[in-house]
Amino acid sequence: MQDRTSLSSWKALVKHAEEIKHQHMKELFAQEPNRFEQFSVELNRFLIDYSKNLITKETMQSLFELAEQTEVLQWRDAMFSGERINKTEDRAVLHTALRNRSKSAVILDGENITEQVETELSRMEIFVNKVRRGDWKGYSGKPIKHVVNLGVGGSNLGPQMVTEALKNLSDHNIRTHYVSNVDGTQIADVLRPLNPENVLFIVSSKSFSTTETLTNAQTAMRWLVSAAFDQQAIKKHFVAVTAKPEKAKEYGFSADNIFRMWDWVGGRFSLWSAIGLPIALEFGFEKFIELLEGAHEMDQHFRNAPLTQNAPIILALIAVWNSTFLGCQSHAILPYDQTLHMLAAYLQQAEMESNGKSVTWNGEAITYPTVASIWGGLGINGQHAFYQYLHQSKNIVPADFIGSVESVTPLEGHHETLMANFFAQTQALMCGVNEKQVRADLLAKGRNQKFIDTLAPHKVHSGNRPTNTILLKKLDTWTLGSLVAMYEHKIFVQGILLQICSFDQWGVELGKGLAEKIHRELTEVESSCQHDSSTERLIQYYKQTKQQLS
């Protein structure tokens, strides 16, 4: 398999990056008044403007050649067709099959998995309707009013992000709550105001061996049984979502209370499966289907749009350009929409767990920078917190600005103020302000020369800071599904471009294994495990101090 750095397009991009670093986006806009038309893509539900990146026609031509030489389109087709592209785990990658609204056959190991997905969706629909109608009763005969999802990582972040984003669509018939942290404070805070008689718990774990989730599940079961005085109450208040139904059965769940997911679905891409049960319970099954339809719409775009108009591919190419060739080490997700306040956290897991790798498909050490670290938060709040760093730090941080033309809560005067900031920030990050402009402005304000000489250097903004603008028409179920699917495909394409396996997470597994060993030490008097001196002394201090405090 050809090393990425030996590709002609890669070599061209390395050379081009050195040349373009000396240019400023302001100059590019002056030279190319039609940059927006050249470097934007309009989709059914939103517009993407990537013109405020340090790119030219030559840049994009070389990036598209890189996509061709790394066979992005062939890998895309292989993913959709069910080939085992997750090489380290010998698995297919088929989260797209979960939202295959065309219901076309997808064959894996001789079976049409579309039929399996449709069967599980039907089970979800029956269950959701039963709960929402009040036909599913708790141990005392009362209908369910609250759902508590117990999961962590992909079994939590996706559903919770969607639930928060669509809150305005809830009829409040069912209220969903999320517990992910094994710190007892979170589950105690969630359960304290609830009545056990009308609470349904969803234990979401792909492997059904996640320590954090099962610890929370045991606490929730004790809480329920202590109120019901009946162990059998668990059957009326607990369901499971897992790819290991036999483990859930061993844990005491009946087959009727277990919803299935599959090993060909990565946890961080699983909200489209029964992992999305909390979404369907809060908003109704039809809204969950709308979410799938929006994602399927993006899947079709990704499969059929030409390379030069393919939104996920373009965003992936721009990301690789900024991180691998221009050396930007982090990337900010900045929604100007309160409903998307969890999007940065969701995408942080999706991208960093997928592509935070340092070896190629062949297990060889990667010699080039790979993906940036993902962080961010609500744009308006960020302006009064970390935007100082974005504007004037020596580190360049590319950013995605995400806003909506129409607000989901149209209060007079609010949305225009919000969006004025939205547009102003990308312009300011791109243009900046030089010392000559600063001095002229201070002089016009009547400042004396000494004051100007002292202050001017502090007010200079170099600009030339890359941003993508994603402008939604309105945030609804279809749009959210399409937006999330676009980012999923962007992550996949980045992995192909960089020759990274995006669908394993061995770094997560290492910490889990060590935690299991240390957990035994924390609960036993004698310790037989060997650690480095720091870890050994920390464990000793913890146990000794805990004993003194008890």
Side-chain angles (χ1 to χ4, degrees):
M1 193 172 290
Q2 192 172 12
D3 180 78
R4 292 296 187 247
T5 59
S6 67
L7 298 173
S8 60
S9 56
W10 190 284
K11 293 176 180 178
L13 286 164
V14 170
K15 181 182 177 183
H16 180 59
E18 287 302 313
E19 297 167 349
I20 204 169
K21 282 178 181 178
H22 305 291
Q23 290 191 273
H24 198 289
M25 275 187 261
K26 270 198 310 187
E27 298 166 359
L28 296 178
F29 269 89
Q31 296 163 11
E32 305 169 319
N34 64 337
R35 275 182 70 83
F36 176 83
E37 286 73 23
Q38 289 179 36
F39 304 128
S40 64
V41 179
E42 186 171 1
L43 305 173
N44 287 344
R45 303 188 186 278
F46 47 84
L47 170 77
I48 302 170
D49 169 24
Y50 59 100
S51 63
K52 293 190 182 80
N53 282 280
L54 193 57
I55 56 172
T56 62
K57 289 181 182 177
E58 180 185 350
T59 316
M60 293 311 300
Q61 182 59 40
S62 293
L63 286 170
F64 289 132
E65 287 175 7
L66 178 64
E68 290 173 351
Q69 291 181 358
T70 55
E71 300 182 329
V72 163
L73 300 185
Q74 292 89 325
W75 280 99
R76 174 201 63 189
D77 295 343
M79 178 181 71
F80 276 97
S81 67
E83 291 187 31
R84 295 178 181 274
I85 64 170
N86 179 352
K87 300 297 184 183
T88 63
E89 297 178 312
D90 191 30
R91 292 175 179 172
V93 176
L94 281 170
H95 48 277
T96 54
L98 299 171
R99 65 233 188 177
N100 176 19
R101 303 311 301 153
S102 68
K103 302 183 183 180
S104 57
V106 179
I107 306 301
L108 179 64
D109 297 332
E111 292 187 39
N112 181 5
I113 63 171
T114 299
E115 294 177 355
Q116 297 177 24
V117 171
E118 288 301 310
T119 296
E120 209 60 24
L121 282 172
S122 296
R123 290 188 67 225
M124 285 177 63
E125 182 177 17
I126 292 167
F127 174 72
V128 166
N129 290 340
K130 192 173 181 180
V131 173
R132 285 178 58 81
R133 284 196 310 262
D135 295 339
W136 181 289
K137 300 292 196 300
Y139 69 86
S140 66
K142 292 183 179 180
I144 299 301
K145 290 298 179 184
H146 294 270
V147 171
V148 178
N149 190 75
L150 306 176
V152 69
S155 298
N156 172 79
L157 279 168
Q160 188 173 14
M161 180 273 293
V162 171
T163 300
E164 291 294 318
L166 300 177
K167 276 292 186 187
N168 66 299
L169 300 179
S170 176
D171 60 7
H172 307 301
N173 182 38
I174 301 289
R175 296 294 185 99
T176 55
H177 313 267
Y178 292 86
V179 176
S180 58
N181 199 336
V182 76
D183 184 333
T185 301
Q186 187 182 33
I187 192 167
D189 286 347
V190 168
L191 296 185
R192 191 172 289 116
L194 302 183
N195 181 350
E197 295 175 283
N198 59 24
V199 177
L200 175 73
F201 292 92
I202 303 173
V203 183
S204 295
S205 174
K206 182 178 176 179
S207 65
F208 223 78
S209 62
T210 307
T211 303
E212 301 94 322
T213 299
L214 295 183
T215 300
N216 282 325
Q218 289 165 1
T219 296
M221 287 177 178
R222 288 194 296 268
W223 177 78
L224 175 71
V225 172
S226 68
F229 297 102
D230 184 2
Q231 191 74 21
Q232 296 303 309
I234 290 173
K235 293 181 180 179
K236 298 181 179 181
H237 291 268
F238 277 80
V239 298
V241 180
T242 182
K244 301 291 184 182
E246 66 282 357
K247 287 190 176 181
K249 289 175 184 175
E250 291 172 6
Y251 211 78
F253 286 82
S254 65
D256 291 340
N257 286 15
I258 300 171
F259 293 89
R260 186 182 178 191
M261 59 183 297
W262 298 268
D263 67 0
W264 38 260
V265 179
R268 53 194 174 276
F269 304 108
S270 65
L271 71 88
W272 323 101
S273 70
I275 291 292
L277 258 181
I279 303 168
L281 286 164
E282 169 100 26
F283 303 106
F285 189 74
E286 66 283 357
K287 292 296 180 186
F288 181 70
I289 292 298
E290 290 172 7
L291 188 75
L292 302 188
E293 288 171 346
H296 177 66
E297 188 176 289
M298 179 55 66
D299 292 343
Q300 295 305 106
H301 167 80
F302 181 46
R303 295 185 77 170
N304 299 317
L307 197 63
T308 57
Q309 288 295 307
N310 197 301
I313 294 176
I314 289 170
L315 288 178
L317 290 169
I318 293 293
V320 168
W321 168 245
N322 284 330
S323 60
T324 303
F325 296 98
L326 295 181
C328 301
Q329 297 180 350
S330 72
H331 185 104
I333 304 295
L334 306 172
Y336 277 68
D337 195 315
Q338 179 67 31
T339 63
L340 293 175
H341 69 95
M342 283 196 65
L343 183 63
Y346 172 75
L347 292 178
Q348 185 177 67
Q349 187 212 9
E351 184 156 330
M352 293 174 74
E353 192 166 273
S354 295
N355 291 334
K357 314 287 173 59
S358 57
V359 296
T360 67
W361 298 326
N362 297 330
E364 298 167 354
I366 291 174
T367 59
Y368 41 85
T370 53
V371 297
S373 58
I374 304 296
W375 61 285
L378 288 173
I380 284 291
N381 294 348
Q383 288 179 201
H384 299 272
F386 54 79
Y387 273 39
Q388 167 62 45
Y389 186 92
L390 299 185
H391 282 287
Q392 288 188 306
S393 167
K394 287 183 68 64
N395 297 323
I396 305 296
V397 181
D400 289 358
F401 280 71
I402 306 166
S404 302
V405 173
E406 186 178 341
S407 172
V408 298
T409 310
L411 298 180
E412 184 177 353
H414 283 251
H415 199 57
E416 289 70 26
T417 301
L418 177 73
M419 295 308 290
N421 282 274
F422 176 80
F423 295 122
Q425 288 294 330
T426 60
Q427 185 180 41
L429 286 164
M430 184 269 285
C431 292
V433 57
N434 61 36
E435 188 167 346
K436 182 180 179 181
Q437 292 170 305
V438 170
R439 287 180 173 276
D441 179 63
L442 291 172
L443 187 63
K445 291 177 179 177
R447 300 294 190 175
N448 62 50
Q449 195 61 46
K450 183 179 179 181
F451 180 88
I452 292 174
D453 290 342
T454 300
L455 187 59
H458 297 278
K459 297 195 68 169
V460 171
H461 292 58
S462 62
N464 224 25
R465 314 262 168 159
T467 61
N468 299 309
T469 298
I470 301 173
L471 189 55
L472 316 178
K473 292 178 180 177
K474 182 179 180 179
L475 187 68
D476 55 23
T477 47
W478 292 279
T479 301
L480 182 61
S482 190
L483 180 70
V484 172
M486 179 182 71
Y487 274 108
E488 288 180 345
H489 295 319
K490 174 209 169 197
I491 291 164
F492 162 74
V493 173
Q494 282 176 276
I496 301 303
L497 294 169
L498 298 169
Q499 214 171 36
I500 287 171
C501 183
S502 302
F503 301 102
D504 60 24
Q505 53 280 328
W506 301 110
V508 177
E509 302 303 322
L510 174 62
K512 282 183 180 179
L514 289 173
E516 288 176 7
K517 294 178 181 178
I518 292 175
H519 182 268
R520 289 194 295 271
E521 294 182 67
L522 297 181
T523 55
E524 296 171 1
V525 176
E526 298 296 329
S527 171
S528 59
C529 295
Q530 297 296 314
H531 300 286
D532 61 89
S533 58
S534 169
T535 305
E536 189 73 37
R537 292 303 300 274
L538 286 168
I539 291 171
Q540 289 176 9
Y541 177 84
Y542 172 87
K543 293 174 73 172
Q544 290 167 2
T545 305
K546 187 172 184 179
Q547 188 174 23
Q548 293 168 4
L549 294 173
S550 61

